[in-house]
Amino acid sequence: FPALAFQYGGGAFFIPYILALIFVGYPLLLLEVALGQHLQTGDVGVFGSINKRCRGVGLSAVLCGFIVTTYYVPLLSWVV
């Protein structure tokens, strides 16, 4: 896919994607892992310790991971 996107002029998409990954995604991942290690709890507990209303953020992160997994596992098993 990346080669096709680059071939048809979509390569400029990868520059902001990589920049967002480096400057937003990676620091948020490190923050979440560090808070989880410090508080010794899961996703919902980490965001719940920040504010009670933020528990939904942790729950949605877990739910999104579950949805992506249930989508890609059958897809990959069908392709392979």
Side-chain angles (χ1 to χ4, degrees):
F1 173 74
L4 288 175
F6 182 74
Q7 182 180 1
Y8 292 109
F13 166 76
F14 287 110
I15 295 170
Y17 177 78
I18 295 296
L19 289 175
L21 182 68
I22 291 170
F23 291 114
V24 176
Y26 190 65
L28 284 177
L29 174 70
L30 287 177
L31 178 67
E32 187 175 342
V33 169
L35 282 173
Q37 288 289 323
H38 177 69
L39 297 173
Q40 295 180 354
T41 184
D43 233 5
V44 179
V46 166
F47 286 105
S49 68
I50 295 170
N51 190 351
K52 292 293 183 193
R53 291 182 175 181
C54 290
R55 292 178 70 89
V57 174
L59 187 62
S60 67
V62 172
L63 186 64
C64 285
F66 175 73
I67 290 171
V68 166
T69 302
T70 56
Y71 176 76
Y72 277 113
V73 167
L75 181 71
L76 288 174
S77 66
W78 179 66
V79 169
V80 175

